[in-house]
Structure formats: C-alpha cells, structure tokens
Amino acid sequence: IKNNFNLCSFPFDKQKIKISVIGENINETTLEFSDIFYRILDFTKKNISVPGWDVKDIKMTQSNSNIKNIVYSDLSYEIDIERQYFYYIFKIILPIILILSICWSSVWLNRKEVESKLTITIVCLLSLIAYNFVIDNEIPKLNYLTIMDWIILLSYVYAAIPNILAIITYQFGLNTKYR
C-alpha cells in the first residue's frame, strides 16, 4: 500500500490510495485480470466506504516489468477519494466568521466609546484563541500550512484590525480640534 498524502488544500483535498500486488512470474505465467477481478471491482465501487471521505473512482491496472531477466507482474488498485468538507465549513469556518462579524460590529460604535470597542474586539480575539484550542484536534499537525491553517491565521489578523482601528480613531479624535 503506497500513499503520498498532500494536505495543502485540507479540508478541500482529494487523495489517491494505491494498493499494489507484485508477483514474480513463474514458468512464464503472469498475474492478469480475469472476469472475477472485474466483478470484484464493480462490487467494490458500489460497496466501499471510507468514513469522512467520498469514493470517486476505483481503477485497476496491470503492468509487467523486467528486472535482471526476471519478469514481475503488478496488479494495482487506485482509489480516488475526496474529503467530505461540509463538517469543516459548518463546525469550524462559519463559527469563525460569526466571531469576526461580532468583532467588526465594533466599528459602528461612536469613536469616543473606545472602552466598549476594545472590550468587544479583545473578547472576540480571545474567543478565537479559545476556539482554536477546541478545534485543534480536528486539524492535522503538519510542517506546512493548509487552507484551514490560512483561514485560522487570517481570522486572527482580521480580529486584530478592529482593535487597532479603535485605538487609531480614538487618538485621531483627541488630536483634532473638532470634537
């Protein structure tokens, strides 16, 4: 079984799972497809399920290779799967958007109410941090950033901007002669 998962587009990723059976040819016989292989393939397409994934396609291939005058046969299953991403949209991305919209609602408050603005924005930023701890088990731990990681990182930036705006607009209001 050989898998090279690329999770850069997590949770919107698609993967290929390859299962190979390799055998040495004895007396010039090779591993090859028969009618029963095609029946198994058809049955498998209808009945295989992978939790959290949609099975898109199953292919069976056969090849022969010659290494040092020994012929090897290779029968391979290649299963194309696609992650079911609705869970991640409804349980992770939408709550983040809700927290950010509450955070950005502070821009409609009067600029003189800086304490209220900062309270809203800081509480939302802390909520995002706490929410990140809650969803941490749902996200793969990788040494590169996925789409979900970028969404979370950008949510921190977008939660910090109203906080900075509140301080800037308050200071700008103090420095102008029209109050």
Side-chain angles (χ1 to χ4, degrees):
I1 298 176
K2 180 181 176 185
N3 297 313
N4 292 322
F5 289 128
N6 182 0
L7 299 174
C8 286
S9 59
F10 173 83
F12 309 105
D13 56 331
K14 299 175 184 176
Q15 305 294 336
K16 288 184 185 281
I17 299 173
K18 187 174 182 181
I19 303 169
S20 297
V21 178
I22 301 173
E24 181 183 342
N25 293 343
I26 301 170
N27 299 330
E28 300 298 319
T29 60
T30 61
L31 293 173
E32 58 185 42
F33 292 128
S34 65
D35 186 44
I36 195 149
F37 276 117
Y38 288 108
R39 284 190 213 156
I40 291 171
L41 180 62
D42 189 46
F43 176 78
T44 305
K45 281 183 183 180
K46 293 176 186 170
N47 296 314
I48 193 170
S49 70
V50 180
W53 297 85
D54 291 325
V55 177
K56 293 298 180 183
D57 192 24
I58 299 175
K59 298 175 193 158
M60 201 181 293
T61 57
Q62 184 222 354
S63 63
N64 294 322
S65 56
N66 189 345
I67 302 172
K68 295 184 180 179
N69 294 326
I70 300 173
V71 178
Y72 293 93
S73 293
D74 178 10
L75 291 177
S76 298
Y77 258 136
E78 193 170 284
I79 305 169
D80 294 329
I81 55 175
E82 183 177 322
R83 189 181 304 274
Q84 296 169 346
Y85 53 83
F86 285 112
Y87 169 83
Y88 298 96
I89 290 174
F90 291 112
K91 296 280 186 159
I92 296 176
I93 296 173
L94 284 180
I96 288 174
I97 291 171
L98 178 65
I99 293 170
L100 286 176
S101 60
I102 292 169
C103 187
W104 275 87
S105 69
S106 68
V107 298
W108 288 302
L109 293 175
N110 189 333
R111 67 178 164 86
K112 293 178 184 175
E113 297 178 21
V114 71
E115 294 89 9
S116 299
K117 285 184 166 195
L118 291 177
T119 300
I120 292 171
T121 57
I122 294 296
V123 166
C124 288
L125 190 59
L126 291 174
S127 297
L128 278 173
I129 292 169
Y131 191 66
N132 191 23
F133 282 113
V134 170
I135 64 173
D136 192 44
N137 291 336
E138 305 295 325
I139 299 171
K141 284 126 183 81
L142 304 167
N143 60 350
Y144 55 88
L145 294 177
T146 65
I147 289 176
M148 185 63 74
D149 295 328
W150 281 108
I151 290 170
I152 292 169
L153 287 174
L154 287 175
S155 71
Y156 289 136
V157 171
Y158 282 114
I161 290 173
N163 196 357
I164 295 166
L165 286 175
I167 296 167
I168 290 172
T169 56
Y170 181 73
Q171 285 297 331
F172 182 71
L174 289 178
N175 295 333
T176 61
K177 53 183 162 181
Y178 302 107
R179 293 185 195 178

